[in-house]
Amino acid sequence: MRYSVDENGYYGQFGGAYIPEMLYPNVEELRDNYLSIIGDSAFKAEFDKLLKDYVGRPTPLYFAKRLSEQYGAKIYLKREDLCHTGAHKVNNTIGQIILAKKLGKQKIIAETGAGQHGVATATVCALMGMECIVYMGEIDMQRQKPNVERMRILGAEVVPAKSGSKTLKDATNEAMRHWISNPVDTHYIIGSVVGPHPYPDMVARFQSVISEEMKWQLNEEEGTEYPHYVIACVGGGSNAAGAFYHYLDEEKVKLVAVEAAGRGVDSGESAATSYLGKPGVLHGSKTLLMQTADGQVVEPYSISAGLDYPGIGPMHAHLFDTGRVKFENATDEEAMVAGVELSKLEGIIPAIESAHALAALRKMSFEKSDIVVINLSGRGDKDLETYIKWGKY
Amino acid sequence: MTTNRINDVFQNKKNVLSVYYTAGFPELNNTLAIAQYLEAAGADIIEIGMPFSDPVADGPTIQESNKKALENGMSIKLLFEQLKEVRQSVSIPIILMGYINPVLQFGIHEFCENCEEVGVDGLILPDLPMAEYMAVYKGKFEKHGIKNVFLITPQTSEQRVKEIDQNTDGFIYMVSSASTTGAKGSFSVEQINYFERIKNMNLKNPTLIGFGISNHDTYLQACTYSSGAIIGSAFINCIDSSGIEKGNINQFVKDIKG
């Protein structure tokens, strides 16, 4: 595979494991074991069964007839919004918690921004009866109160990250610090294709079930496994990694990643990392990073809490660099319009993250026969307040 | 290879005390004065932190000092300007500590040149992994006479400790426990066992124990098992609450060394 990770944990010039020595044993243990554990038939059987019976997979590949008419192409929606907990995040947390058990870990920590990954982690910890601590930026905790309470109902402890800018990147810093101080009994479930090797590869593998299903589902509908386009939103990039995974080496499938432009890519309030970022090192990997000329990490902005991360996964940085994936972006406004449009045309209120992917439709031109798959990564229930505040529906 | 100030210190002094402070904290232009006062007070090595927005290996005290320093306008460029004439008044080793990203953005080549020019003897870059150092950085650092200081922890395997020992010739930074930086008060039995285990390995490099050294007792204990100790958070707390006056810094070092 041209785009897969190499033995040193790199995707082209991006990736690696830039971690302090205090984390080396933890990460080494994962690196040395993850492939054999997830390749084991007992692991696969448990993972597949939980994805089927607990998460509700396979998720439908739905032909969106009215949306298709609107844009003059055959548009399918991969319905990750129908996963248990309301987003694709749970595919990864199921995989990682089984892996954590196999490694003999008793405690789980996680970081969360909007709370979706935190909820997905708290959920699988309840399922497995494991202790769960979720770090969340103090500011995000105020913004996403329902998800904080959801995690608490599920039995997790939610710890406010009070350092730095008190948002997702600081929650990640705090989770790493916790892991430094608890290296033996704790597994850190990272929520996206970010972090030191092997996290980006491991999370991408767990999410790859998305494109694995797309292939046979599309074959049933259209007699081909290969759409003309796959479109997904990118914050850290886990849903996009899953949606692109089995198409990466099929160059005829055009892959489109949509970043959050916030109030506009040049407004100073944006999270469009591929446009604004430069190569740098954060949270254990070399990747594209929004930063000042002095190398200090810049706080990103998007209306969608799931997309305001200052970096992207190293795999995506490489896919951007090589041109394999075309990077688009959508502003807050464009995403909200697209979210309301899908609601009215198809009766599906999407997460605002996923609405960014939908917003790419009007920036592209299609042939009538083009098959387009959009990864609908999450549902919009968690975003009702934002929709209401925006008000134009 | 020519010896540098770091090698000299370990050859000539016992119970080495290295003191850390963050450049640009508490005030932007304190860097040079603190270095001078520390040497006058009897510190043996100075470790100057290059502030970063996301210092994952650091506890709350040093995080806050990093944040404040950045708000004050600190940068690597400015730090090198502040250190331009440091060798006219400071003769003990100077080590820069920081995270790799700001160094990369400054430009690794230019960074090494600046280190040599102002008289920096060593670097501690906790998120620069050994494999990366060996592949990309070692040649550049050595060309400019810079010692790279590696960290080891209680979880570092014996084999890896040996490997680290082979790949440096300055000193090894022994992180005293599985934790981020910060003052803790005293050492546990497990920590003492770990110190003894490393001591008995008879490494070719001297070791300094850091993380959790905050007073005369922990300093002396560290010195029993290694060549000395590193103090960071306790000193930051001191200058934060009492200021950077010469007498204050003098008293701090005297209290630690006894």
Side-chain angles (χ1 to χ4, degrees), chain A residues 62-345:
Chain A
Y62 164 72
F63 176 64
K65 187 161 172 285
R66 297 187 68 206
L67 191 69
S68 295
E69 282 164 8
Q70 177 83 5
Y71 289 100
K74 291 169 149 179
I75 301 174
Y76 286 85
L77 303 177
K78 181 58 174 162
R79 297 292 307 275
E80 293 301 298
D81 60 316
L82 294 177
C83 288
H84 178 43
T85 70
H88 71 289
K89 291 284 186 193
V90 72
N91 301 327
N92 169 47
T93 59
I94 292 267
Q96 284 203 47
I97 201 156
I98 303 173
L99 184 120
K101 274 200 316 180
K102 305 267 179 210
L103 289 171
K105 306 290 176 183
Q106 289 107 45
K107 296 175 184 171
I108 297 294
I109 53 167
E111 85 295 338
T112 197
Q116 290 307 104
H117 173 59
V119 168
T121 303
T123 298
V124 298
C125 287
L127 175 71
M128 298 294 183
M130 285 170 87
E131 199 178 302
C132 180
I133 299 175
V134 178
Y135 286 90
M136 189 168 184
E138 199 172 39
I139 290 175
D140 288 336
M141 283 179 74
Q142 290 156 14
R143 291 195 292 208
Q144 309 284 338
K145 255 199 162 317
N147 271 343
V148 174
E149 296 313 318
R150 229 168 248 147
M151 289 184 264
R152 287 177 175 153
I153 291 168
L154 290 162
E157 183 189 345
V158 183
V159 179
K162 297 180 176 182
S163 58
S165 49
K166 304 179 175 64
T167 59
L168 175 58
K169 81 175 174 69
D170 309 285
T172 308
N173 293 341
E174 289 303 329
M176 285 187 159
R177 288 177 185 126
H178 181 108
W179 209 21
I180 284 171
S181 302
N182 298 273
V184 180
D185 63 354
T186 301
H187 175 69
Y188 177 18
I189 300 190
I190 294 184
S192 192
V193 286
V194 301
H197 176 67
Y199 276 101
D201 184 50
M202 180 170 73
V203 176
R205 283 168 188 265
F206 290 142
Q207 293 294 359
S208 70
V209 65
I210 298 172
S211 49
E212 190 184 313
E213 289 172 6
M214 276 182 192
K215 285 178 94 171
W216 64 259
Q217 289 172 319
L218 198 64
N219 198 28
E220 279 183 8
E221 295 291 322
E222 295 284 347
T224 174
E225 295 183 344
Y226 304 108
H228 296 88
Y229 297 93
V230 177
I231 305 174
C233 65
V234 171
S238 71
N239 92 79
F244 296 163
Y245 196 88
H246 289 287
Y247 293 118
L248 286 173
D249 289 325
E250 297 292 339
E251 305 274 348
K252 65 188 172 196
V253 180
K254 297 191 182 82
L255 305 173
V256 180
V258 187
E259 292 182 313
R263 299 201 164 96
V265 285
D266 295 313
S267 67
E269 291 180 283
S270 177
T273 305
S274 70
Y275 182 80
L276 297 166
K278 285 182 302 173
V281 174
L282 180 69
H283 297 149
S285 64
K286 186 185 265 187
T287 189
L288 290 173
L289 187 62
M290 288 171 59
Q291 54 187 314
T292 65
D294 291 333
Q296 307 299 339
V297 180
V298 166
E299 188 61 21
Y301 163 81
S302 163
I303 193 168
S304 150
L307 299 180
D308 63 355
Y309 183 70
I312 50 174
M315 163 189 168
H316 291 298
H318 180 56
L319 293 171
F320 172 76
D321 215 27
T322 55
R324 174 66 188 98
V325 172
K326 184 162 193 294
F327 276 67
E328 292 277 359
N329 57 70
T331 61
D332 291 355
E333 183 79 11
E334 290 165 338
M336 296 307 292
V337 167
V340 170
E341 180 182 67
L342 186 75
S343 307
K344 301 222 187 276
L345 287 177

Side-chain angles (χ1 to χ4, degrees), chain B residues 107-160:
Chain B
I108 189 69
H109 185 69
E110 211 184 344
F111 183 82
C112 291
E113 279 180 353
N114 274 274
C115 283
E116 189 177 8
E117 265 170 45
V118 303
V120 167
D121 306 285
L123 292 176
I124 303 175
L125 300 167
D127 59 347
L128 174 62
M130 183 167 57
E132 211 67 39
Y133 168 74
M134 298 302 288
V136 183
Y137 297 86
K138 191 169 193 273
K140 295 187 176 83
F141 285 16
E142 285 178 351
K143 188 178 153 206
H144 294 281
I146 303 164
K147 309 285 185 199
N148 187 54
V149 178
F150 290 105
L151 274 56
I152 61 171
T153 80
Q155 274 71 41
T156 309
S157 69
E158 189 175 321
Q159 191 200 339
R160 192 167 162 86

Side-chain angles (χ1 to χ4, degrees), chain A residues 53-65:
Chain A
D53 299 337
Y54 189 73
V55 175
R57 302 205 74 92
T59 58
L61 183 71
Y62 164 72
F63 176 64
K65 187 161 172 285

Side-chain angles (χ1 to χ4, degrees), chain B:
Chain B
M1 175 160 296
T2 55
T3 62
N4 81 354
R5 280 174 282 255
I6 293 177
N7 300 128
D8 288 346
V9 156
F10 288 102
Q11 274 156 25
N12 299 321
K13 289 185 183 170
K14 276 195 163 142
N15 296 0
V16 168
L17 176 65
S18 176
V19 181
Y20 167 95
Y21 64 99
T22 305
F25 176 87
E27 303 293 336
L28 185 59
N29 294 315
N30 290 152
T31 313
L32 190 58
I34 295 176
Q36 290 164 343
Y37 299 162
L38 278 172
E39 175 161 22
D44 303 300
I45 298 177
I46 296 166
E47 192 189 316
I48 304 175
M50 302 176 282
F52 183 46
S53 53
D54 295 82
V56 287
D58 286 298
T61 302
I62 293 180
Q63 283 171 42
E64 273 307 309
S65 70
N66 274 239
K67 197 175 169 210
K68 181 82 194 300
L70 290 174
E71 284 165 7
N72 288 344
M74 199 61 216
S75 67
I76 291 179
K77 188 164 176 270
L78 183 58
L79 176 60
F80 282 129
E81 277 168 33
Q82 291 176 344
L83 292 179
K84 218 168 199 167
E85 287 169 2
V86 68
R87 284 304 172 202
Q88 293 178 9
S89 54
V90 177
S91 60
I92 59 178
I94 296 175
I95 293 170
L96 298 187
M97 182 273 168
Y99 294 81
I100 189 72
N101 195 54
V103 174
L104 288 177
Q105 304 312 320
F106 188 83
I108 189 69
H109 185 69
E110 211 184 344
F111 183 82
C112 291
E113 279 180 353
N114 274 274
C115 283
E116 189 177 8
E117 265 170 45
V118 303
V120 167
D121 306 285
L123 292 176
I124 303 175
L125 300 167
D127 59 347
L128 174 62
M130 183 167 57
E132 211 67 39
Y133 168 74
M134 298 302 288
V136 183
Y137 297 86
K138 191 169 193 273
K140 295 187 176 83
F141 285 16
E142 285 178 351
K143 188 178 153 206
H144 294 281
I146 303 164
K147 309 285 185 199
N148 187 54
V149 178
F150 290 105
L151 274 56
I152 61 171
T153 80
Q155 274 71 41
T156 309
S157 69
E158 189 175 321
Q159 191 200 339
R160 192 167 162 86
V161 173
K162 284 181 181 161
E163 212 180 321
I164 284 169
D165 192 38
Q166 284 309 311
N167 289 321
T168 187
D169 63 353
F171 69 93
I172 291 172
Y173 191 139
M174 266 178 85
V175 176
S176 69
S177 68
S179 76
T180 51
T181 54
K184 292 175 189 75
S186 65
F187 292 126
S188 68
V189 178
E190 289 79 21
Q191 284 175 289
I192 299 294
N193 290 342
Y194 154 62
F195 299 160
E196 274 179 341
R197 176 164 62 83
I198 300 298
K199 189 180 182 186
N200 291 335
M201 284 181 74
N202 294 313
L203 303 174
K204 79 175 168 78
N205 281 287
T207 56
L208 290 183
I209 296 178
F211 287 38
I213 315 282
S214 58
N215 52 33
H216 180 61
D217 286 349
T218 41
Y219 163 73
L220 268 193
Q221 250 183 320
C223 292
T224 314
Y225 300 99
S226 72
S227 300
I230 302 169
I231 288 200
S233 299
F235 182 64
I236 297 286
N237 282 331
C238 165
I239 57 177
D240 192 25
S241 59
S242 314
I244 65 144
E245 287 71 35
K246 193 170 184 179
N248 181 37
I249 289 177
N250 195 46
Q251 191 60 48
F252 179 86
V253 173
K254 293 275 176 306
D255 286 348
I256 298 292
K257 282 200 146 181

